[in-house]
C-alpha cells in the first residue's frame, strides 16, 4: 500500500545533474551543497549518492556532525561557521571545516587550545550584505588566520553571489570584480559560484564551485525549469484522491468559501495540504495532475487536503494517483503559482511525507 502523501526521490538523477555541473566547470573542485536536509531530499541518502564530489557543504555544525555520525568521510564545510567555543570544539572533534566571516571568530580561534587544526574558508562580503569581511578587513583576517596555530594550511577564500539568478543584473559583475581585485594577490584556493553562477557566469567559476539547487534538477532562474537546462528533477510529490463528488452551482469549496461553483462541477479531494508542505499560497488554477491529466486546484489549501476540478478527468475515482509536482509538472511552475521559489517548496516537505526512493 502506498502512503497517502509521499515524495518519490530519483536519487540516480543526482549523478546526472552532477555531470551537468562538470560541463561548464571541468577542472573545478565540487562542493555539493546539501544543507537543510539536502533541500528536503534527505541529507544522508544524498551524501551517499554523491560520492566522488570533493566536499559537501552544510549550513550548521549539527548537520555536519550528523553526516559524520552516518559515516560520511571527506571534507564537510559548515557555511555558517561556528558561533561559540563549543561549536568550534565540535568542528575539530568531527574533522569538519568552517567558513570564517567575523572578527570574533578570529579571536575565538586564537584563544582556543586545540589538538587539531581547522581547515577554514575565509569569506569576503562582496555585496550579499550578510556574512563576510569587508574588502578592507580582508588582509588582516587573512594574516591572522595564516598565522593561527589552530588553522590548517591553506586558507581558502570565498564569496557568495546575491543576484546571479538575474542574467541582466550588473551586480554580479561588480561582485566578481570586487572579489578579483581583493584576492588577486593571494594564491589561496577560491570559490564564488552557486548554481546560477555555474550555469550563467563563467567568470565566477574558480578553483571550487558550490552547486546546490541544480543538483536536485531544479533551475535557479525564474521563468526556466530544470529540464530546459538539461537537468533531471530528483523529487516528485504525490498523493491520491480520497473523495470525488459533484457540487451544484452556487456551492462553495474550502475555508473561507473562496471558490464558488458557477455551474454544477465535478471535483476531487486530494490528501495533501500545507501540513505536508504543499504551499498554502497556491492559487486557484495551480496545475495538479490526476491520473497524469492536468487539472486545477480550486479554493484554499487546507492543512491536510486540497480540492481539484475534475471536469477534464471524468474517469477519476477515489484512490487514483495525484502528482503535485514532478513528472510533467515542474516544481518551478508550482512555485510561480504560489508566489515563491522552488527552493522553499523542496525544503518545506514535512515529516509527515514519506520518502520513497526510486
Ligand atoms: C546555499 C548556498 C549555495 C548553493 O546555492 P544554490 O543557489 O542552491 O546553488 C552556495 N553557496 C552558499 C554559501 C550557500 O549558502
Amino acid at each position: 500500500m502506498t502512503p497517502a502523501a509521499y515524495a518519490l526521490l530519483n536519487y540516480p538523477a543526482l549523478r546526472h545533474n552532477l555531470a551537468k555541473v562538470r560541463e561548464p566547470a571541468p577542472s573545478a573542485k565540487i562542493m555539493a551543497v546539501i544543507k537543510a536536509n539536502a533541500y528536503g531530499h534527505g541529507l544522508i541518502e544524498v551524501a551517499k549518492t554523491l560520492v566522488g564530489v570533493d566536499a559537501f557543504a552544510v549550513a550548521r555544525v549539527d548537520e555536519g556532525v550528523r553526516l559524520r555520525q552516518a559515516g560520511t568521510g571527506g571534507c564537510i564545510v559548515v557555511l555558517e561557521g561556528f558561533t561559540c567555543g563549543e561549536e568550534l570544539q565540535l568542528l575539530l572533534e568531527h574533522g569538519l571545516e568552517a567558513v570564517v566571516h567575523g572578527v570574533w571568530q578570529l579571536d575565538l580561534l586564537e584563544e582556543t587550545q586545540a589538538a587539531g587544526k581547522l581547515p577554514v574558508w575565509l569569506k569576503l562580503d562582496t555585496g550579499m550584505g550578510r556574512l563576510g569581511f569587508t574588502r578592507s578587513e580582508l588582509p588582516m583576517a587573512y594574516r591572522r588566520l595564516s598565522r593561527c596555530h589552530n588553522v590548517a594550511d591553506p586558507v581558502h577564500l570565498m564569496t557568495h553571489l546575491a543576484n546571479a539568478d538575474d542574467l541582466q543584473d550588473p551586480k554580479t559583475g561588480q561582485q566578481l570584480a570586487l572579489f578579483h581585485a581583493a584576492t588577486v594577490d593571494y594564491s589561496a584556493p577560491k570559490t564564488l559560484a552557486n548554481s546560477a553562477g555555474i550555469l550563467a557566469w563563467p567568470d565566477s567559476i574558480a578553483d571550487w564551485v558550490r552547486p546546490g539547487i541544480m543538483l536536485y534538477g531544479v533551475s535557479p532562474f525564474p521563468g526556466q525549469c530544470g529540464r530546459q537546462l538539461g537537468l533531471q528533477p530528483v523529487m516528485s510529490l504525490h498523493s491520491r484522491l480520497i473523495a470525488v463528488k459533484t457540487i451544484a452551482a452556487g456551492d462553495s469549496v474550502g475555508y473561507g468559501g473562496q471558490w464558488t461553483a458557477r455551474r454544477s462541477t465535478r471535483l476531487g479531494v486530494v490528501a495533501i495540504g500545507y501540513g505536508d508542505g504543499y504551499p498554502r499560497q497556491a492559487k486557484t488554477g495551480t496545475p495538479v495532475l490526476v491520473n497524469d491529466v492536468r487539472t486545477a486546484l480550486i479554493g484554499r489549501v487546507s492543512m491536510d487536503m486540497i480540492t481539484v476540478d475534475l471536469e477534464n478527468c471524468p474517469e477519476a475515482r477515489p484512490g487514483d494517483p495525484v502528482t503535485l509536482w514532478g513528472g510533467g509538472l515542474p516544481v518551478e511552475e508550482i512555485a510561480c503559482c504560489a508566489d515563491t521559489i522552488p527552493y522553499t517548496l523542496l525544503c518545506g516537505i514535512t515529516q509527515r511525507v514519506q520518502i520513497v526512493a526510486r
Side-chain angles (χ1 to χ4, degrees):
M1 196 192 70
T2 53
Y6 64 99
L8 192 59
L9 293 178
N10 179 5
Y11 287 121
L14 286 165
R15 294 209 197 94
H16 167 90
N17 298 330
L18 180 61
K20 286 284 164 189
V21 173
R22 293 203 165 105
E23 280 175 17
S27 50
K29 290 191 176 182
I30 296 177
M31 185 190 297
V33 181
I34 58 173
K35 60 195 180 190
N37 196 31
Y39 293 45
H41 294 69
L43 178 71
I44 308 301
E45 295 78 0
V46 169
K48 281 185 181 150
T49 308
L50 289 175
V51 284
V53 296
D54 302 282
F56 291 113
V58 291
R60 313 264 163 81
V61 174
D62 61 297
E63 294 174 309
V65 171
R66 265 201 288 146
L67 277 173
R68 282 287 186 251
Q69 286 168 345
T72 306
C75 304
I76 300 174
V77 180
V78 176
L79 294 170
E80 292 179 359
F82 48 91
T83 39
C84 58
E86 288 88 336
E87 279 195 346
L88 177 53
Q89 290 299 348
L90 277 174
L91 291 168
L92 288 160
E93 195 179 308
H94 293 277
L96 303 172
E97 311 193 0
V99 170
V100 174
H101 50 78
V103 172
W104 61 274
Q105 289 177 315
L106 301 175
D107 297 338
L108 202 53
L109 270 168
E110 287 165 352
E111 290 160 11
T112 296
Q113 301 295 327
K117 285 183 187 287
L118 183 72
V120 297
W121 298 72
L122 172 49
K123 189 168 197 176
L124 179 66
D125 182 4
T126 54
M128 176 64 101
R130 297 185 317 196
L131 301 180
F133 292 94
T134 63
R135 185 183 176 179
S136 61
E137 291 170 325
L138 183 73
M140 168 277 297
Y142 188 86
R143 199 178 327 110
R144 284 179 65 179
L145 286 173
S146 306
R147 291 179 187 165
C148 179
H149 53 284
N150 291 326
V151 170
D153 202 40
V155 172
H156 306 76
L157 290 169
M158 71 177 287
T159 196
H160 193 38
L161 302 174
N163 298 20
D165 60 327
D166 181 349
L167 307 185
Q168 309 307 322
D169 197 316
K171 175 146 184 169
T172 303
Q174 292 158 8
Q175 285 196 265
L176 299 182
L178 201 161
F179 186 81
H180 180 74
T183 64
V184 65
D185 292 333
Y186 300 92
S187 61
K190 294 168 188 143
T191 174
L192 307 87
N194 54 6
S195 297
I198 293 163
L199 292 165
W201 301 91
D203 290 347
S204 73
I205 295 171
D207 302 293
W208 287 78
V209 292
R210 309 189 308 269
I213 194 83
M214 71 179 289
L215 290 173
Y216 309 99
V218 173
S219 169
F221 307 113
Q224 196 175 35
C225 67
R227 287 213 192 270
Q228 292 168 294
L229 297 164
L231 302 170
Q232 293 177 359
V234 178
M235 182 196 290
S236 54
L237 181 65
H238 304 273
S239 184
R240 58 188 172 216
L241 286 175
I242 55 171
V244 172
K245 62 180 69 180
T246 300
I247 59 167
D251 286 353
S252 64
V253 170
Y255 285 112
Q258 241 190 6
W259 187 87
T260 304
R262 276 199 223 121
R263 53 192 164 80
S264 157
T265 305
R266 214 163 153 268
L267 58 81
V269 180
V270 183
I272 197 119
Y274 62 79
D276 303 284
Y278 189 82
R280 184 175 180 276
Q281 292 71 20
K283 297 190 257 292
T284 288
T286 299
V288 175
L289 304 182
V290 175
N291 291 324
D292 285 327
V293 175
R294 229 173 221 256
T295 173
L297 175 76
I298 52 182
R300 254 186 212 157
V301 172
S302 314
M303 186 184 289
D304 313 310
M305 285 173 256
I306 59 171
T307 16
V308 294
D309 186 342
L310 290 180
E311 284 300 297
N312 56 352
C313 317
E315 312 288 303
R317 295 187 306 124
D320 283 359
V322 175
T323 299
L324 289 313
W325 64 69
L329 188 54
V331 68
E332 291 90 336
E333 194 177 338
I334 306 305
C336 189
C337 293
D339 295 322
T340 185
I341 53 173
Y343 295 71
T344 68
L345 300 187
L346 300 176
C347 291
I349 290 296
T350 67
Q351 294 272 317
R352 184 164 73 178
V353 177
Q354 284 201 37
I355 300 294
V356 179
R358 194 162 107 195

